[in-house]
Amino acid sequence: MTLIRVALDVPVDRLFDYRCGDRNARIGTRVLVPFGRRRLIGIVVAKPEHSEVPEASLKHAIRVLDEQPLLGKADLRLLEFAAGYYVHPLGAAIMMAVPATLRRVRLRDQAPAAYALTPAGAAIDAATLPPRARASHRLLALLQSAPVVDHAAVAALGAATRKALQTFLEKGWVRTTIPDPVLAQDAPAAAAGPPLNPEQAAALQAVASALGRFQPMLLLGITGSGKTEVYLHAIAATLARNAQALLLVPEIALTPQLQSLIVARFPGTPVATLHSGLADGERAAHWEAARSGKARIVLGTRLAVFAPIPALGLIIVDEEHDGSFKQGEGFRYSARDLAVVRARQAGVPIILGSATPALETYRNAMDGRYQLLRISQRINARPPLIDCIDLRQGMTADGLSDRLITAIASRIERGEQSMVFINRRGYAPVLICGSCGWTSDCKRCSAKLVLHLPERRLRCHHCGHDSAVPASCPDCGNTDLAPVGQGTQRIEAALAHHFPEARILRIDRDTTRRRDAWPDMRERIREGTVDILVGTQILAKGHDFPRLNLVGIVNADSMLYSNDFRAPERLYALLSQVAGRAGRADIRGQVLVQTRFADHPLYAALRHQDFDTFAQTLLAERRQAGFPPYVHQALLRSEARSIDTALQFLAKAARTARGISPTVSVYDPVPAGMMRRAGRERAHLLVQSGSRTELRSFLKIWHQWLAETSNSATRWSLDVDPAEL
Ligand code: ADP
Ligand code: ZN
Ligand code: ZN
């Protein structure tokens, strides 16, 4: 009888030991175990000699489900690191890395994937089943007829068979598995890429010579400078060595052209794509293709950093500065940072690509820890002309300046597209009563209800509250309620007023909710049946709109001043990404930024597309102020019914923290930037240290104290390397 240590998806931070007599129990295989009154699927992570639990009280594992490990030792090592670094329960972290389909014991209605007999199931002799259990006989015969049986085939045998299947699953005779994925993609023809220019060739050379060893690299180049082309060549070099390549991107749904580009460049090469837009079964199939080594290229969003890729030879993180690489709740890992850890563990090079890298990354490149690869020119276009429109000198009606309107008019005349960017959806961010001062506040959040005019609704963008627009002021009865400020709908309306003939397309979360809405819109934009685009961040991501030559940015200032010290860094990245949409080979793009602070260094840097000067200025400020990347931070967030409860909990945590380590600075607890959200009040406590190692040892102790001390009145979570304060 051996011992196995099992990772389970339960909220306690520990692993569980079981006795297990099955030879198939190997590290990385799934196992079905009793847990309280339930049965759970877990992953074997160790086979210890001893258990702290007395042997006699250890339970028996029910069944080992796999013959081959699902997760390799390298995968478990990365997960262990991640769980430790982000102080998250290891079992939960490991199980999160396994597709949902493979973790379920209960049958689901929109059933997954497929089924196969486990080793125990394969050993069953039909003669030992009760003769009258006809459904069980039918099911067993079906499962014996093929290595993998589709859900549809089981369902076709009727409800009784379905029930028998549930029993087989609970006994561990059957495991959920994955049908063979269809990955080989048809590409019309192998599309050859353009020959690389000297800077691209040098970058590629650097990557190629690093294959086979750990080497982090920052590929720094503005939008359209040909970074993607370097990635494609680097992937080709990796495939030529018979290795797999992992390409992490912020959003696949928004950048399908990258996926088709890869398919076209590597015809016949199986590509696994991993992102949240896939159905469970599909996702599991792609995951399995990565794991088995069948997929040679793995393209995915943040969670793909944990995908098992046995022959990993290269990692690329595109738009490495993008906020979506950091998980915002639960297991708050940074996929970008873990990708670097993974590259180190695997001994492979990693390319971090961006026009506006995170200051953490930029500093590593400046200090020589990362190799800096630069591409300085835009390939098919000159850099856009960026100009500020000083709002102090001209009034704006509905948020649009005369100069921007004139510029749009002349583009329309020439049959070119314009884009107006605003970072807020809805019509106006607040509704105000002119006579008593009432404002449309959300009762459950410290936020205003946003007016959605076409729908005639007031909506909270934080908690989902949604109500009709009142006919008169709820406080004084005045019927003269005024929308204040601008959102996409209002800009759209204003543009329609100025350009009654123009074809205007609004692109924000409200208009792209439907699944194919965005692909359809993209087609229309590319075909040129749109004159003006109005939209939010969605428009900033890497799209190639050939007719777009003018970009107007309406309310950048609202993002300039904020409590968060990272606000300017983010704004610069966003604006330079938006600006990168404008222009092409024959027409120089134009970008107009409406602002009241035209002299601000951020806009000056943007005008000159001078990321380096801007980044160095910010880094100097950060160093002086003692902010990251010069210190390492962790944020303890708490939330309770009242802010006092939340703060009291943090005050206690702060006292304890000060007693743990003299070198870790502990700030005072403060209410969160948005104090109330969905009826809960929130506060946080910042701790920081110049030494990552010291912060880590501190967090370990502190976390233990938190886990032991917490009570049901306060919810808390730790965020290591928080991206937002
Ligand atoms: P980035 O990823 O930096 O935004 P891309 O790699 O997408 O830039 O390149 C921008 C455009 O230039 C693409 O249409 C690409 O096909 C083209 N391109 C890239 N490299 C070259 C090259 N060496 N010669 C000609 N065209 C190129
Ligand atoms: Zn009023
Ligand atoms: Zn709300």
Side-chain angles (χ1 to χ4, degrees):
M1 186 68 52
T2 48
L3 291 177
I4 54 173
R5 189 154 291 162
V6 179
L8 294 172
D9 185 15
V10 291
V12 254
D13 191 5
R14 51 169 289 210
L15 301 167
F16 297 87
D17 292 348
Y18 289 89
R19 290 199 274 180
C20 180
D22 193 329
R23 287 179 290 110
N24 286 304
R26 291 165 57 191
I27 291 175
T29 54
R30 277 178 300 170
V31 60
L32 182 68
V33 295
F35 188 80
R37 296 165 57 192
R38 292 183 294 163
R39 291 178 162 203
L40 294 179
I41 288 179
I43 297 267
V44 179
V45 294
K47 299 177 79 172
E49 297 281 315
H50 306 284
S51 176
E52 283 171 17
V53 182
E55 187 120 349
S57 55
L58 282 179
K59 292 193 188 149
H60 283 267
I62 299 164
R63 259 353 136 226
V64 174
L65 300 180
D66 302 298
E67 283 149 74
Q68 293 293 324
L70 280 190
L71 295 177
K73 294 220 168 80
D75 306 317
L76 289 169
R77 202 168 138 218
L78 179 67
L79 284 158
E80 259 164 48
F81 174 88
Y85 186 85
Y86 295 103
V87 271
H88 193 73
L90 177 60
I94 290 175
M95 293 316 288
M96 177 223 55
V98 173
T101 310
L102 301 178
R103 290 181 246 141
R104 285 192 196 121
V105 182
R106 309 268 340 149
L107 283 176
R108 284 287 187 93
D109 281 340
Q110 334 84 317
Y115 308 97
L117 289 169
T118 60
I124 298 171
D125 182 352
T128 62
L129 292 176
R132 300 186 52 181
R134 278 203 241 118
S136 298
H137 283 275
R138 274 203 303 271
L139 178 63
L140 186 62
L142 175 67
L143 288 163
Q144 285 169 340
S145 70
V148 173
V149 170
D150 218 50
H151 182 78
V154 179
L157 294 179
T161 312
R162 223 181 116 78
K163 245 173 110 183
L165 178 63
Q166 177 65 54
T167 314
F168 279 30
L169 281 167
E170 280 168 29
K171 289 190 170 167
W173 292 347
V174 162
R175 63 166 182 254
T176 48
T177 180
I178 299 163
D180 203 18
V182 191
L183 290 175
Q185 323 227 7
D186 308 329
L196 297 183
N197 67 29
E199 282 180 322
Q200 289 173 312
L204 174 65
Q205 177 52 39
V207 181
S209 67
L211 291 173
R213 66 183 159 90
F214 172 57
Q215 174 64 58
M217 293 175 263
L218 168 61
L219 181 58
L220 180 59
I222 56 172
T223 306
S225 60
K227 296 186 294 298
T228 308
E229 214 39 63
V230 175
Y231 303 156
L232 294 171
H233 280 84
I235 291 172
T238 308
L239 300 183
R241 290 168 58 110
N242 225 355
Q244 292 169 283
L246 169 62
L247 171 54
L248 296 174
V249 294
E251 291 253 22
I252 290 179
L254 296 180
T255 53
Q257 67 270 49
L258 180 59
Q259 201 176 338
S260 15
L261 187 60
I262 289 178
V263 171
R265 280 304 173 77
F266 302 100
T269 302
V271 179
T273 48
L274 293 166
H275 59 94
S276 57
L278 299 176
D280 278 358
E282 251 180 313
R283 183 177 183 135
H286 284 261
W287 187 87
E288 170 60 17
R291 190 202 67 79
S292 68
K294 182 169 170 183
R296 306 312 292 172
I297 303 172
V298 181
L299 171 64
T301 48
R302 85 182 155 235
L303 188 56
V305 75
F306 296 113
I309 303 173
L312 183 65
L314 171 70
I315 304 178
I316 301 167
V317 184
D318 187 28
E319 305 286 1
E320 65 88 36
H321 64 278
D322 196 278
S324 74
F325 286 121
K326 170 93 176 169
Q327 168 113 312
E329 53 191 38
F331 185 13
R332 297 170 185 261
Y333 64 93
S334 155
R336 192 255 331 272
D337 294 346
L338 286 178
V340 176
V341 172
R342 183 169 187 175
R344 180 183 309 122
Q345 291 182 343
V348 303
I350 175 166
I351 311 173
L352 305 174
S354 178
T356 51
L359 288 184
E360 284 78 1
T361 307
Y362 184 75
R363 178 191 178 216
N364 280 331
M366 290 299 127
D367 291 358
R369 277 190 291 271
Y370 293 0
Q371 188 176 359
L372 179 60
L373 311 173
R374 257 183 211 278
I375 334 186
S376 48
Q377 300 289 325
R378 237 176 134 181
I379 287 193
N380 285 329
R382 285 183 292 162
L385 266 175
I386 302 177
D387 236 337
C388 287
I389 298 177
D390 193 336
L391 289 178
R392 287 170 303 192
Q393 285 163 22
M395 279 306 287
T396 66
D398 276 335
L400 298 175
S401 60
D402 294 341
R403 218 179 124 198
L404 181 55
I405 289 169
T406 315
I408 295 173
S410 69
R411 297 290 164 174
I412 294 181
E413 235 159 69
R414 286 183 261 164
E416 298 170 24
Q417 273 169 353
S418 306
M419 174 174 120
V420 179
F421 174 84
I422 175 167
N423 69 331
R424 270 193 304 237
R425 64 196 170 92
Y427 186 84
V430 63
L431 193 63
I432 288 183
C433 168
S435 101
C436 78
W438 171 87
T439 56
S440 57
D441 295 340
C442 178
K443 292 204 169 48
R444 310 183 64 223
C445 305
S446 343
K448 306 288 179 202
L449 297 174
V450 177
L451 173 65
H452 286 247
L453 194 61
E455 305 92 330
R456 302 212 55 80
R457 309 293 295 177
L458 287 177
R459 286 181 185 152
C460 176
H461 289 182
H462 302 284
C463 72
H465 170 95
D466 186 334
S467 57
V469 176
S472 59
C473 173
D475 281 1
C476 75
N478 166 32
T479 52
D480 188 20
L481 297 176
V484 173
Q486 288 88 34
T488 47
Q489 292 178 341
R490 191 169 203 168
I491 297 294
E492 181 187 24
L495 288 166
H497 170 76
H498 288 289
F499 305 105
E501 309 284 304
R503 294 160 299 179
I504 302 172
L505 182 63
R506 172 161 59 90
I507 300 165
D508 57 23
R509 196 129 51 86
D510 297 313
T511 62
T512 54
R513 227 168 274 266
R514 199 169 44 79
R515 218 184 158 181
D516 346 310
W518 176 225
D520 290 351
M521 289 179 180
R522 207 171 41 238
E523 252 339 281
R524 283 178 58 197
I525 300 168
R526 295 186 61 89
E527 282 166 6
T529 57
V530 176
D531 301 312
I532 311 174
L533 321 175
V534 183
T536 54
Q537 263 85 330
I538 299 182
L539 282 177
K541 310 258 170 170
H543 312 296
D544 192 13
F545 298 147
R547 292 160 208 262
L548 179 64
N549 292 322
L550 170 67
V551 171
I553 296 166
V554 171
N555 66 341
D557 291 345
S558 70
M559 296 174 275
L560 189 56
Y561 293 101
S562 146
N563 292 332
D564 194 331
F565 68 87
R566 283 195 179 84
E569 178 185 354
R570 274 199 219 110
L571 178 59
Y572 188 92
L574 179 63
L575 295 185
S576 92
Q577 211 165 20
V578 176
R581 306 287 131 245
R584 54 187 176 185
D586 48 338
I587 301 173
R588 189 155 191 199
Q590 183 185 16
V591 179
L592 294 172
V593 184
Q594 300 192 152
T595 174
R596 285 176 198 286
F597 310 98
D599 310 326
H600 193 285
L602 187 148
Y603 296 128
L606 189 70
R607 274 200 298 274
H608 300 112
Q609 297 257 303
D610 184 2
F611 176 76
D612 285 277
T613 305
F614 181 65
Q616 277 154 19
T617 311
L618 285 186
L619 278 176
E621 284 170 19
R622 299 263 189 102
R623 185 198 287 275
Q624 183 121 49
F627 282 144
Y630 298 98
V631 298
H632 307 284
Q633 299 184 322
L635 194 68
L636 175 63
R637 301 170 196 273
S638 73
E639 101 180 30
R641 247 177 233 211
S642 82
I643 189 70
D644 288 343
T645 313
L647 284 169
Q648 270 160 21
F649 175 76
L650 293 183
K652 218 160 66 170
R655 275 198 300 280
T656 307
R658 291 189 180 107
I660 294 173
S661 163
T663 59
V664 171
S665 340
V666 179
Y667 286 78
D668 287 327
V670 288
M674 200 177 117
M675 193 183 83
R676 254 172 92 74
R677 183 174 183 142
R680 310 271 303 174
E681 309 217 311
R682 308 156 348 126
H684 60 228
L685 167 62
L686 185 67
V687 297
Q688 68 181 37
S689 167
S691 152
R692 205 185 276 285
T693 322
E694 281 179 28
L695 185 64
R696 283 183 68 181
S697 0
F698 160 83
L699 287 175
K700 213 169 152 192
I701 302 170
W702 199 35
H703 181 259
Q704 194 152 15
W705 179 86
L706 288 165
E708 285 161 6
T709 317
S710 57
N711 51 50
S712 56
T714 316
R715 261 189 256 155
W716 59 271
S717 64
L718 260 181
D719 189 351
V720 180
D721 300 334
E724 274 165 67
L725 296 186

